[in-house]
Amino acid sequence: MLFYPWLVSAHYLDRISPQQLAKEVEATAHAFAEWDANSLVLRYGAYRGHDVSAPYEGDMAAALAQIAAPTLVVASASDRLVGIEGARRIADGIKHARYAEIPTDLGHRALRAPPDSKESGFIDRQLRPFLAAPHSRGK
């Protein structure tokens, strides 16, 4: 339940009703409750221990410069968990990256928005042409 506010933006929290907030917090808590404690600890450890820049003496720009594949970086404009500044730096550091920012107040949850939402429509409009491009077919 404590994690929930990091998944959405402050604006989103302000605009939804207290009943909707309670429902979403409960659903988030229920989803996390389905994980066993070992899985949560292992996931946290993996996140904390993963550093793609380690082989490059902590130089993230050097690590990102190694990526040769065309890359689509999709970020939520209101993501408090990852942040758009970090997403933009990642896209800027990859040679053949394309950056798309979801215009939303759903925060990090925009990346897993319901199929009929404006956020999933935006993602679809970015992803389909990217995957259909010749670079995606190995050409």
Side-chain angles (χ1 to χ4, degrees):
M1 291 173 71
L2 295 172
F3 185 67
Y4 176 80
W6 286 100
L7 297 177
V8 296
S9 70
H11 182 264
Y12 179 77
L13 291 172
D14 289 342
R15 82 171 166 85
I16 64 173
S17 70
Q19 295 81 10
Q20 182 67 26
L21 175 59
K23 181 180 172 185
E24 290 186 17
V25 168
E26 184 65 32
T28 302
H30 179 71
F32 273 95
E34 292 177 0
W35 288 55
D36 66 74
N38 288 330
S39 294
L40 287 171
V41 169
L42 291 171
R43 185 177 188 177
Y44 175 77
Y47 285 159
R48 215 167 134 86
H50 182 71
D51 181 2
V52 298
S53 69
Y56 303 95
E57 299 179 10
D59 185 345
M60 183 61 76
L64 292 173
Q66 301 304 307
I67 300 170
T71 305
L72 175 62
V73 177
V74 179
S76 167
S78 57
D79 193 332
R80 294 199 277 189
L81 194 59
V82 175
I84 57 171
E85 296 82 13
R88 286 179 183 152
R89 281 194 305 269
I90 290 170
D92 289 345
I94 299 172
K95 293 173 190 153
H96 304 288
R98 183 167 163 246
Y99 178 79
E101 193 170 286
I102 307 166
T104 185
D105 68 354
L106 280 183
H108 195 72
R109 289 182 54 216
L111 299 169
R112 294 184 65 190
D116 59 342
S117 68
K118 65 179 181 161
E119 291 82 8
S120 65
F122 179 88
I123 293 169
D124 187 62
R125 289 189 303 278
Q126 306 306 309
L127 194 54
R128 286 187 186 274
F130 180 79
L131 293 175
H135 62 76
S136 296
R137 294 188 297 268
K139 292 181 181 176

